[in-house]
Amino acid sequence: MKRYRNGEIWDFEHEMPVMGNEVILGLDGGTTSTVCICMPLLPVSDPLPDPLPVLAKAVAGCSNHNSVGEAAARETLEQVMADALAKSGSNRSAVRAVCLAVSGVNHPTDQQRIVKWLREIFPSYVRLYVQNDAVAALASGTLGKLHGCVLIAGTGTIAYGFTEDGREARAAGAGPILGDWGSGYGIAAQALTAVIRAHDGRGPETNLTSSILEKLGLSSADELIGWTYADPSWARIAALVPVVVSCAEAGDEVANKILFESVQELALSVKAVVERLHLCGEDGKDSFPLVMVGGVLEAKKRWDIGNEVINCISKEYPGAVPIRPKVEPAVGAALLARNCYMKEFCKEL
Amino acid sequence: MKRYRNGEIWDFEHEMPVMGNEVILGLDGGTTSTVCICMPLLPVSDPLPDPLPVLAKAVAGCSNHNSVGEAAARETLEQVMADALAKSGSNRSAVRAVCLAVSGVNHPTDQQRIVKWLREIFPSYVRLYVQNDAVAALASGTLGKLHGCVLIAGTGTIAYGFTEDGREARAAGAGPILGDWGSGYGIAAQALTAVIRAHDGRGPETNLTSSILEKLGLSSADELIGWTYADPSWARIAALVPVVVSCAEAGDEVANKILFESVQELALSVKAVVERLHLCGEDGKDSFPLVMVGGVLEAKKRWDIGNEVINCISKEYPGAVPIRPKVEPAVGAALLARNCYMKEFCKEL
């Protein structure tokens, strides 16, 4: 096994007594943080225990190679895996499978590159699976099964789907310039725009004006221009979504229109994936999991964007089974690793 | 008068013989270039000669203080004025008025700051006028008169209007995040979005896909995501507008819809300004200049966005007099300087 260049990351393996039981690692690497879960390798024959026996969880910073660069992303991922193993009193020799689900993995070449350096850390018998982070979100709802459609709507949005025979499709996830209008960023940018348009006479008056200006500590809609371009980070703008929801709940028409349109946009992404994969079958009534993840869908307010999206989808596809995952995506990744490992293991028998 | 710190900018004043005639300077400072025009101070009683007697024109880089910083913006503006004076065989002692119309000037504080350092260059009897660059564009159509509405649509878009009694109003000009949808950037971003949506099943097929991919040398719509975020400069994206116009002319429905919507957006900006200033008078039929400026409006194609906007405005305001300026904005700024100077001069008599 690889010794880390400064010898620190894996030093714990020599310093502590180690359990002998086999484990799996699941990683969810997003643009803000990276989570690693260490779980025991559960026998395939048994039903999954509830709650799931998580041995340890470790958290680190961003591991999107597009954001922080390849070297920093690798170091973050390696460190978070070592932390999870150390916390669980285990080490690399106990690992049987790793599922690494990270944002920014879109092409087979991305996967191959990451598998290659993971292989420097783990010996050849360890199964390595590299996926887009949307896949971990799906698996967190299906408890490891790659079937159905996941809709993620946080700062950004993407719909990702898999069929049981291994086909996959995605919709949206192309960022704000390229039309991810149902995302948190999309909702908030529409709200800011509505304020500007009301101010300069292009649009109707809206309570979004006073609510947003108060939230940002500004005194005039003019000042929104400076605020917006001073730091146009997507998450900073998306943080205004709760203000939009509050205004809509209080009856503001402009805010309601923005939220209704975002529901349509989000539902459209799901429909595009369902249609391309024929997830609803020939008669349109087949059952499939519809996993809902992300801050925009978890609002738990009276104006519940997630529920509205589900209503919209269910009308068209009565077989859609909405799931709001009880476990986090990194657990989904771990369960995915377990399922893939078991499948391959059974094939070999 | 100020000696420039390294003594170079104004050295020509000691090195060449100088005409005695009075001149005015007009500057148009945008985000890509800065133009300075030197004109003789024409007597107010005479009609403006055609063509206008431009003594010299000098061109320099960006002078938007938001883009390049205050010091660089000042140096660029000072250099381009010195160049224009040197080329015209004149010098600062002949200058009677300067109109500096630069983008990024939005508040009285911006104006005051710039007037202050201009005053270090020119003695107290020189009249100094500092305006937003949209004002120079208006004046280029009205030949120096501050009355009417100008619509600028290039990479960005803004509508700016003035009444004869000195009130002013603007609409749009808040950048792409805040809803400048009719701009060149807006049109092109909608087109890119349409390609992504057709690709992932959220939108109808469109010829924009093959046309844009061919234009950018890409082989798949997937690659547009990388292309877009590799350098999301607004001008780079706006450069795709001619492709959208070509597709619309060839009958593509998606491209046509994008252009029709941009016409509505641009017309809406003008209407907002006209309404707020009551430019059309009580009965809605008063005459006012509608100056049209910028690449999006000057397409001169079969699908003429500018003409469609004019049609749209004229239906509502029959008194709107569309003007496509024959002179550039810097000339407008020079004529504005002349008019303001003459007005103040006459007041003093």
Side-chain angles (χ1 to χ4, degrees):
Chain A
M1 276 187 238
K2 180 196 181 195
R3 293 294 314 136
Y4 195 71
R5 44 197 168 287
N6 62 14
E8 280 170 17
I9 285 185
W10 298 105
D11 273 358
F12 72 92
E13 293 184 336
H14 304 278
E15 289 162 11
M16 62 199 299
V18 159
M19 316 181 325
N21 297 330
E22 298 174 318
V23 299
I24 49 178
L25 296 177
L27 287 95
D28 171 45
T31 40
T32 46
S33 69
T34 304
V35 177
C36 181
I37 290 288
C38 180
M39 283 177 60
L41 182 59
L42 306 162
V44 72
S45 53
D46 298 357
L48 282 174
D50 183 13
L52 290 163
V54 169
L55 296 173
K57 170 180 171 175
V59 180
C62 173
S63 57
N64 181 327
H65 60 91
N66 289 330
S67 303
V68 296
E70 186 85 12
R74 283 170 63 158
E75 190 164 331
T76 298
L77 290 165
E78 189 163 359
Q79 184 67 58
V80 80
M81 289 190 288
D83 287 352
L85 283 169
K87 278 188 185 177
S88 63
S90 186
N91 71 15
R92 280 180 288 176
S93 64
V95 176
R96 291 296 167 270
V98 179
C99 175
L100 184 51
V102 276
S103 64
V105 171
N106 295 308
H107 292 278
T109 50
D110 295 325
Q111 291 178 307
Q112 286 155 15
R113 206 177 56 248
I114 295 174
V115 164
K116 199 174 161 197
W117 72 257
L118 274 179
R119 187 55 73 204
E120 293 173 18
I121 304 172
F122 296 100
S124 61
Y125 62 81
V126 178
R127 307 288 176 166
L128 303 175
Y129 310 101
V130 174
Q131 294 281 8
N132 184 284
D133 58 345
V135 182
L138 175 65
S140 72
T142 60
L143 297 180
K145 198 172 171 190
L146 274 189
H147 173 231
C149 182
V150 62
L151 174 65
I152 306 178
T155 295
T157 181
I158 190 170
Y160 219 106
F162 286 85
T163 58
E164 292 185 276
D165 59 358
R167 288 175 298 122
E168 58 186 291
R170 64 180 267 183
I177 300 177
L178 299 173
D180 287 356
W181 295 322
S183 65
Y185 174 90
I187 291 169
Q190 293 283 347
L192 290 169
T193 294
V195 173
I196 296 290
R197 291 168 84 90
H199 176 69
D200 69 19
R202 284 180 296 157
E205 290 300 317
T206 163
N207 287 328
L208 287 166
T209 303
S210 56
S211 301
I212 288 178
L213 293 181
E214 187 187 350
K215 172 81 179 175
L216 301 180
L218 303 177
S219 56
S220 152
D222 277 333
E223 296 172 22
L224 276 183
I225 303 177
W227 180 86
T228 300
Y229 298 102
D231 170 12
S233 99
W234 302 345
R236 176 169 165 270
I237 288 171
L240 293 172
V241 169
V243 182
V244 187
V245 172
S246 298
C247 284
E249 289 179 344
D252 185 75
E253 279 184 29
V254 173
N256 270 292
K257 185 162 181 279
I258 290 170
L259 294 189
F260 276 119
E261 283 172 359
S262 92
V263 167
Q264 296 304 318
E265 282 294 319
L266 295 170
L268 184 61
S269 294
V270 172
K271 287 176 189 173
V273 167
V274 172
E275 291 295 327
R276 271 160 65 206
L277 297 177
H278 293 290
L279 281 174
C280 57
E282 289 302 314
D283 64 353
K285 291 177 184 168
D286 278 12
S287 173
F288 64 90
L290 172 61
V291 180
M292 312 279 287
V293 174
V296 169
L297 304 176
E298 290 157 6
K300 290 172 192 156
K301 299 281 185 93
R302 263 193 299 135
W303 216 120
D304 190 320
I305 298 172
N307 267 353
E308 294 295 328
V309 172
I310 289 169
N311 290 342
C312 203
I313 299 293
S314 296
K315 271 181 205 156
E316 206 140 339
Y317 311 116
V321 180
I323 299 171
R324 299 193 189 240
K326 288 178 202 142
V327 297
E328 61 187 309
V331 174
L335 293 173
L336 196 59
R338 167 184 178 262
N339 277 11
C340 293
Y341 175 78
M342 289 300 183
K343 258 189 203 161
E344 291 193 34
F345 191 76
C346 293
K347 258 190 233 162
E348 283 170 16
L349 290 180
Chain B
M1 276 186 238
K2 182 197 182 195
R3 295 293 315 138
Y4 194 72
R5 45 197 167 287
N6 61 15
E8 280 170 17
I9 285 185
W10 298 105
D11 273 358
F12 73 92
E13 294 184 335
H14 304 277
E15 290 161 10
M16 61 197 303
V18 159
M19 317 181 324
N21 298 330
E22 298 173 319
V23 299
I24 49 179
L25 295 177
L27 286 95
D28 171 45
T31 40
T32 48
S33 68
T34 303
V35 177
C36 181
I37 290 287
C38 180
M39 282 176 61
L41 181 59
L42 305 162
V44 71
S45 52
D46 298 358
L48 283 173
D50 184 13
L52 291 163
V54 169
L55 297 172
K57 170 180 171 176
V59 181
C62 173
S63 58
N64 182 326
H65 59 94
N66 290 330
S67 304
V68 295
E70 186 85 12
R74 284 171 62 156
E75 190 164 333
T76 298
L77 290 165
E78 189 164 359
Q79 184 67 60
V80 80
M81 289 189 288
D83 288 351
L85 284 169
K87 277 188 185 178
S88 63
S90 188
N91 71 15
R92 278 181 288 175
S93 63
V95 175
R96 290 296 168 271
V98 179
C99 175
L100 184 51
V102 277
S103 63
V105 172
N106 296 308
H107 291 280
T109 50
D110 295 326
Q111 290 178 307
Q112 285 156 12
R113 207 177 55 248
I114 296 174
V115 164
K116 198 173 163 196
W117 71 257
L118 273 179
R119 186 55 72 204
E120 293 173 16
I121 304 172
F122 296 100
S124 62
Y125 63 81
V126 178
R127 308 288 175 164
L128 303 175
Y129 310 101
V130 174
Q131 295 281 7
N132 184 284
D133 58 344
V135 181
L138 175 64
S140 74
T142 60
L143 298 179
K145 198 172 172 190
L146 274 190
H147 173 231
C149 182
V150 62
L151 174 65
I152 306 178
T155 295
T157 182
I158 190 170
Y160 218 108
F162 286 84
T163 59
E164 292 184 275
D165 58 359
R167 287 175 298 121
E168 58 187 291
R170 63 181 270 182
I177 299 177
L178 299 173
D180 287 357
W181 294 322
S183 65
Y185 175 91
I187 291 169
Q190 293 282 349
L192 290 168
T193 294
V195 173
I196 296 289
R197 291 169 82 92
H199 176 68
D200 68 20
R202 284 179 295 157
E205 291 299 319
T206 162
N207 287 327
L208 286 166
T209 302
S210 55
S211 299
I212 288 179
L213 293 180
E214 187 188 348
K215 173 80 179 177
L216 302 180
L218 303 177
S219 56
S220 152
D222 277 333
E223 296 173 23
L224 276 183
I225 302 177
W227 180 86
T228 301
Y229 297 102
D231 170 12
S233 99
W234 303 344
R236 176 170 166 266
I237 287 171
L240 292 172
V241 169
V243 182
V244 186
V245 173
S246 297
C247 284
E249 288 179 346
D252 186 75
E253 279 184 31
V254 174
N256 270 292
K257 185 160 180 279
I258 290 169
L259 294 189
F260 276 119
E261 283 171 359
S262 91
V263 168
Q264 297 304 318
E265 283 295 320
L266 295 170
L268 184 61
S269 294
V270 172
K271 287 175 190 174
V273 167
V274 172
E275 292 295 328
R276 271 161 64 206
L277 297 178
H278 293 291
L279 282 174
C280 58
E282 288 303 313
D283 64 351
K285 289 178 184 168
D286 278 13
S287 174
F288 64 90
L290 172 61
V291 180
M292 312 279 288
V293 174
V296 168
L297 304 176
E298 290 157 7
K300 290 173 191 154
K301 299 279 186 94
R302 260 194 301 136
W303 216 122
D304 189 320
I305 298 171
N307 267 352
E308 294 294 330
V309 173
I310 290 170
N311 290 341
C312 204
I313 299 293
S314 296
K315 270 180 208 157
E316 207 139 338
Y317 310 115
V321 179
I323 300 170
R324 300 195 190 239
K326 288 178 201 142
V327 297
E328 60 186 309
V331 174
L335 292 174
L336 196 59
R338 167 185 177 263
N339 278 11
C340 294
Y341 175 77
M342 289 299 182
K343 257 188 206 161
E344 293 193 32
F345 191 76
C346 293
K347 257 189 239 163
E348 285 170 16
L349 289 180

